[in-house]
Amino acid sequence: MIVLVLFGFLVHHSIALKPNVLMVMVDDLRPALGVYGDDNAYTPNIDKLARKSFVFTNAFAQQALCAPSRNSLLTSRRPDSLHLYDFYSYWRDSVGNFTTLPQLFKDHGYYTQSIGKIFHPGISSNNTDDSPYSWSGKPFHPRTEKYKESKVCMTAKGILARNLICPVIVDAQPGGTLPDLESLAEAEKFLKEYKDEKPYFLAVGFHKPHLPLKFPVEYLEHHRGEVVLPVNRWRPSFMPTVAWNPWLDVKNRDDIKELNISFPFGLMPDNVTKEIIRNYNAATSYIDDLIGSLLEKIDNNTIIIVTSDHGWSRGEHGEFSKFSNFDVATHIPLIIHVPRLSNTEIIIPQLVELVDLFPTLVDLTQIVPTLEICNKNGSNLILCTEGHSLVPIMVSKQAREGKKAVFSQYPRPGAFPSEIPDSDKPRLKNINIMGYSIRTTRYRYTEWIKFNHTTFMPDWSKVYGKELYDHLIDALENMNLVTRPELNDLINSMHKQLILGWRFS
Ligand SMILES: *[C@@H]1O[C@H](CO)[C@@H](O)[C@H](O)[C@H]1NC(C)=O
Ligand SMILES: *[C@@H]1O[C@H](CO)[C@@H](O)[C@H](O)[C@H]1NC(C)=O
Ligand SMILES: *[C@@H]1O[C@H](CO)[C@@H](O)[C@H](O)[C@H]1NC(C)=O
Ligand SMILES: *[C@@H]1O[C@H](CO)[C@@H](O)[C@H](O)[C@H]1NC(C)=O
Ligand SMILES: *[C@@H]1O[C@H](CO)[C@@H](O)[C@H](O)[C@H]1NC(C)=O
């Protein structure tokens, strides 16, 4: 199948010069944004961008963990094709010499630059952010990111701690700044000094609102009001234990540790949940402000994308953080501004996925005429996609159908939550179960099945848990309907669609 569409051609001809591309990745950002209807949010800059953009209201990540999600987005291949579910393999050395999104732009007349967190740093990008393949310039990482785990959060008792909730006075921080302020400065410097004839592909990755929730204290000013708690602060009825993520990363922060929350199912006190939501929103206002500054310096012939690697639960289902297959962990914001094509806010409600971004940008810029769909055996093709261009659903009212379903997955070491191995973030060698999840407009259906971490083969005959949530009556995924006999036909049909997978949706 071929992804080239007529509309890409139209876009191409209406733009005299190839447009620049600005891709902004916001780490762990769920759609807690004004434009996505979050009343607790204060995000005027992203909302303003949205008023001249395509706003995807049903966009999903392939796995709710940074490295697998980012490598998937950047290669347009799913975690199963990259064999990456943790942080510890690099696809070029482990599966194939696959071309990345920035690499294709670099090879076709663009100057590509990475600032901040685009690839997950470390082994999964060969400790080089996939240089030299993906980037023309040397990737930039903020110096002060090294204080990420430092005791720099002031507590009520006046001591410094390694807290989750961590509003700070910037001047008093080690290095006198914060990582995202450094990244913004570097991006602005790049834009000011860039004089090349070539268009650029600039990727800017902000670290917040990833934990710790460390941000300039003044952003709390927008969040003094009452915080509305999620109404579903408990485990869904009939939820299998394998689906539960015990949010160890949150429990291990000093301020949360003090609460002695029992492992694995203990609940966060409501008053602390409120403060987490308040501070997450304040950290998001901080990033929104930085994005606002950046956008002021962007010229009007630039495609602008604002998105995230996955969501983050804030008390929904009694859970925090990512590490699951629920909507709160997989649902992401996705905003795309295309010069001359989007002068107003255009809501796109169709189901879309992060793997779709690569073919969409190729389609919009026509840097190569076609991107093939990757073939079935994981693919020896160096350049192909496991997504679809979104341009047809963006530009054509007739083609507004889109995908029937989207897919996410999450691994587990065992059927019951564990601290060792960490069932939120199992390493490949400990992965024995894979939760495969399909989301249609109406349902989320998940099967947690046996998985062989050496052959990468799932065994659909050995099931550790199943979940079915009906979004028509239960948008928050509170009631697992999978045990209801009257739904057997539906469950069988979802099971078949799940096994067939993304190629048939
Ligand atoms: C992988 O791809 C890169 C860039 O296309 C190329 O330079 C390199 O030689 C390839 N490596 C192998 C082992 O084929
Ligand atoms: C990854 O890094 C190692 C060590 O720096 C290097 O030897 C290897 O060639 C790199 N892999 C690729 C595909 O560039
Ligand atoms: C948590 O446990 C510690 C040590 O057992 C105890 O000193 C502390 O008071 C407990 N805190 C709460 C909030 O229960
Ligand atoms: C939550 O309430 C407890 C007990 O009422 C109190 O000790 C604690 O300081 C409160 N925590 C926050 C973050 O408001
Ligand atoms: C972009 O800016 C230039 C120069 O300010 C202006 O001439 C042009 O009309 C603008 N184009 C769009 C699409 O706004």
Side-chain angles (χ1 to χ4, degrees):
M1 198 169 148
I2 286 181
V3 172
L4 170 69
V5 293
L6 211 65
F7 312 110
F9 225 64
L10 270 176
V11 178
H12 175 55
H13 282 281
S14 67
I15 297 171
L17 294 167
K18 290 273 191 215
N20 299 311
V21 177
L22 171 69
M23 186 172 100
V24 179
M25 288 290 295
V26 188
D27 208 0
D28 285 21
L29 178 66
R30 66 190 252 156
L33 301 170
V35 51
Y36 282 82
D38 187 317
D39 294 335
N40 291 323
Y42 179 78
T43 53
N45 296 290
I46 295 174
D47 298 350
K48 183 175 163 203
L49 173 69
R51 288 195 289 275
K52 51 169 189 173
S53 300
F54 297 95
V55 177
F56 295 84
T57 53
N58 283 298
F60 291 87
Q62 273 48 70
Q63 187 185 325
L65 189 67
C66 295
S69 176
R70 286 164 187 258
N71 280 13
S72 169
L73 179 170
L74 290 160
T75 59
S76 195
R77 300 179 200 232
R78 295 168 195 262
D80 273 345
S81 303
L82 296 177
H83 294 174
L84 181 69
Y85 318 101
D86 60 11
F87 302 92
Y88 307 107
S89 68
Y90 175 48
W91 74 93
R92 294 188 197 273
D93 292 334
S94 66
V95 271
N97 197 19
F98 306 148
T99 304
T100 71
L101 168 63
Q103 181 185 358
L104 193 67
F105 276 80
K106 179 176 169 232
D107 293 347
H108 290 87
Y110 276 70
Y111 186 92
T112 63
Q113 178 68 49
S114 168
I115 292 176
K117 184 172 171 182
I118 295 300
F119 280 100
H120 189 86
I123 293 170
S124 60
S125 52
N126 214 25
N127 295 303
T128 58
D129 301 283
D130 192 43
S131 292
Y133 312 107
S134 284
W135 308 109
S136 312
K138 186 173 183 288
F140 172 86
H141 289 285
R143 226 169 10 97
T144 55
E145 180 59 10
K146 66 170 177 263
Y147 304 116
K148 179 180 174 189
E149 297 299 336
S150 303
K151 295 190 170 191
V152 295
C153 319
M154 187 59 78
T155 63
K157 293 174 199 138
I159 54 167
L160 291 171
R162 204 179 137 274
N163 283 350
L164 172 65
I165 296 177
C166 189
V168 298
I169 295 162
V170 173
D171 290 344
Q173 284 297 297
T177 185
L178 290 174
D180 291 327
L181 294 170
E182 286 188 70
S183 292
L184 173 67
E186 185 69 17
E188 292 183 339
K189 180 162 164 272
F190 172 87
L191 291 169
K192 190 160 170 226
E193 292 174 1
Y194 189 76
K195 295 283 186 306
D196 208 300
E197 292 279 283
K198 291 176 171 181
Y200 61 76
F201 179 109
L202 173 62
V204 182
F206 291 113
H207 285 87
K208 297 299 116 181
H210 190 294
L211 62 71
L213 300 171
K214 180 168 43 165
F215 58 92
V217 62
E218 53 270 26
Y219 288 94
L220 278 171
E221 288 308 322
H222 305 293
H223 299 277
R224 292 289 177 213
E226 188 54 27
V227 169
V228 181
L229 284 167
V231 294
N232 55 340
R233 302 187 300 288
W234 54 83
R235 279 201 287 154
S237 347
F238 311 108
M239 175 189 182
T241 56
V242 66
W244 175 262
N245 72 278
W247 38 283
L248 280 166
D249 61 339
V250 169
K251 281 178 188 141
N252 286 337
R253 308 303 301 183
D254 289 346
D255 46 351
I256 308 300
K257 229 186 261 173
E258 270 181 19
L259 305 171
N260 300 340
I261 297 170
S262 67
F263 184 86
F265 299 122
L267 295 177
M268 187 76 81
D270 280 349
N271 65 339
V272 182
T273 301
K274 278 193 184 175
E275 292 316 307
I276 294 172
I277 296 173
R278 185 191 310 284
N279 283 269
Y280 181 99
N281 285 337
T284 303
S285 294
Y286 159 52
I287 298 306
D288 176 80
D289 209 13
L290 304 191
I291 290 175
S293 301
L294 184 58
L295 293 183
E296 272 173 27
K297 278 112 193 157
I298 292 288
D299 79 34
N300 65 8
N301 190 30
T302 304
I303 295 172
I304 304 166
I305 300 119
V306 174
T307 190
S308 157
D309 47 2
H310 46 71
W312 210 79
S313 22
R314 306 188 304 194
E316 290 90 355
H317 310 124
E319 294 180 309
F320 286 81
S321 211
K322 47 252 190 174
F323 318 128
S324 87
N325 274 319
F326 283 121
D327 260 41
V328 275
T330 56
H331 186 205
I332 47 157
L334 176 61
I335 297 167
I336 304 181
H337 168 75
V338 186
R340 278 162 247 244
L341 210 55
S342 53
N343 298 319
T344 171
E345 179 172 323
I346 301 165
I347 301 283
I348 310 276
Q350 277 83 356
L351 293 163
V352 305
E353 308 172 87
L354 277 181
V355 284
D356 297 332
L357 206 48
F358 190 156
T360 302
L361 286 171
V362 168
D363 206 355
L364 285 171
T365 55
Q366 292 290 297
I367 50 169
V368 292
T370 62
L371 261 193
E372 271 180 69
I373 297 285
C374 299
N375 60 29
K376 196 148 186 194
N377 47 20
S379 205
N380 23 36
L381 286 178
I382 279 173
L383 177 61
C384 64
T385 175
E386 295 185 357
H388 289 282
S389 169
L390 301 175
V391 174
I393 60 172
M394 286 157 70
V395 302
S396 161
K397 291 198 171 50
Q398 283 84 49
R400 282 277 166 109
E401 255 189 27
K403 297 182 186 188
K404 289 201 279 292
V406 293
F407 296 83
S408 304
Q409 62 189 103
Y410 209 86
R412 296 276 184 239
F416 200 79
S418 56
E419 282 181 276
I420 302 170
D422 181 342
S423 60
D424 284 343
K425 285 186 282 186
R427 292 185 73 126
L428 179 62
K429 65 174 194 284
N430 295 317
I431 294 172
N432 299 307
I433 297 173
M434 189 62 75
Y436 285 102
S437 197
I438 175 172
R439 177 74 155 79
T440 64
T441 48
R442 176 148 181 194
Y443 300 105
R444 174 171 293 287
Y445 177 70
T446 305
E447 285 191 23
W448 300 86
I449 60 166
K450 190 172 170 183
F451 184 82
N452 183 320
H453 58 248
T454 312
T455 61
F456 299 94
M457 292 301 288
D459 176 355
W460 293 93
S461 68
K462 179 70 185 128
V463 181
Y464 296 87
K466 296 186 187 184
E467 296 166 90
L468 175 69
Y469 302 101
D470 182 349
H471 278 256
L472 189 65
I473 56 169
D474 178 27
L476 301 177
E477 303 181 336
N478 293 331
M479 184 161 183
N480 181 7
L481 299 171
V482 88
T483 54
R484 302 200 70 90
E486 64 273 26
L487 297 178
N488 274 350
D489 287 350
L490 170 68
I491 291 162
N492 280 335
S493 131
M494 296 300 292
H495 168 78
K496 284 193 189 118
Q497 280 189 66
L498 181 60
I499 292 182
L500 285 172
W502 62 269
R503 286 169 201 284
F504 297 90
S505 62

